[in-house]
Amino acid sequence: MKTYPLLITLLFMIISWAMGIYFLNVIYTSTIIVPLFNDFIWIRDYKGILGLTAVFSIITIPMIAFMYKKRNHLSKKKTWYSISIVTHLFWVGTLALQLKTILYNLGICH
C-alpha cells in the first residue's frame, strides 16, 4: 500500500500542534472559551486549544505505526484507505474546531 496517506495524517498532526502552540503564545489569557453548538465551555488555555489534539495524537500515533508496519500485508485496499480517510476526517475536524476556538477567543467570530 502507499505510504502517502500516513504522511498526510502526520502532516495534519504537525499542523495542529504547531497552530496550537503558536496561538497559545498569541492569546494571553488563563481561560479559553470553547464554543459549542448551544453552549460555551470555559476551560484552561492548554486544554482548550491542545486538548483534542493531544487525545487524537495518542490514538493516531500507534495506529500509524501499526499501519506502516502492516502496509505490505494488508490484502484489502478498501480497509487501508477507509482507515486513512476516517483518520483524515478526524484531523480535519480537529483543525476546524481548533481554528474556531482560536478565532472566537481572538474576537473575530462573535
Side-chain angles (χ1 to χ4, degrees):
M1 299 296 147
K2 304 282 185 184
T3 57
Y4 68 86
L6 300 177
L7 295 175
I8 292 171
T9 304
L10 286 174
L11 180 70
F12 283 146
M13 190 182 312
I14 291 169
I15 289 170
S16 180
W17 278 103
M19 187 171 60
I21 291 170
Y22 173 75
F23 281 107
L24 278 175
N25 294 325
V26 171
I27 299 173
Y28 300 110
T29 182
S30 61
T31 58
I32 296 290
I33 301 169
V34 179
L36 300 174
F37 294 114
N38 270 350
D39 203 10
F40 300 100
I41 297 176
W42 290 76
I43 197 164
R44 296 285 304 162
D45 53 354
Y46 290 98
K47 287 182 186 177
I49 294 178
L50 290 176
L52 196 58
T53 302
V55 168
F56 280 135
S57 294
I58 291 170
I59 294 170
T60 303
I61 290 173
M63 188 181 70
I64 287 175
F66 174 76
M67 286 178 62
Y68 183 76
K69 186 177 177 184
K70 298 289 184 179
R71 71 183 184 280
N72 294 329
H73 301 292
L74 288 173
S75 61
K76 295 182 180 181
K77 288 184 179 181
K78 194 181 283 187
T79 304
W80 173 267
Y81 287 112
S82 63
I83 291 172
S84 297
I85 288 170
V86 168
T87 305
H88 292 164
L89 288 175
F90 277 122
W91 276 105
V92 167
T94 301
L95 285 169
L97 288 174
Q98 191 176 26
L99 188 62
K100 180 180 178 181
T101 302
I102 289 167
L103 291 177
Y104 189 85
N105 285 284
L106 287 174
I108 296 172
C109 294
H110 278 278

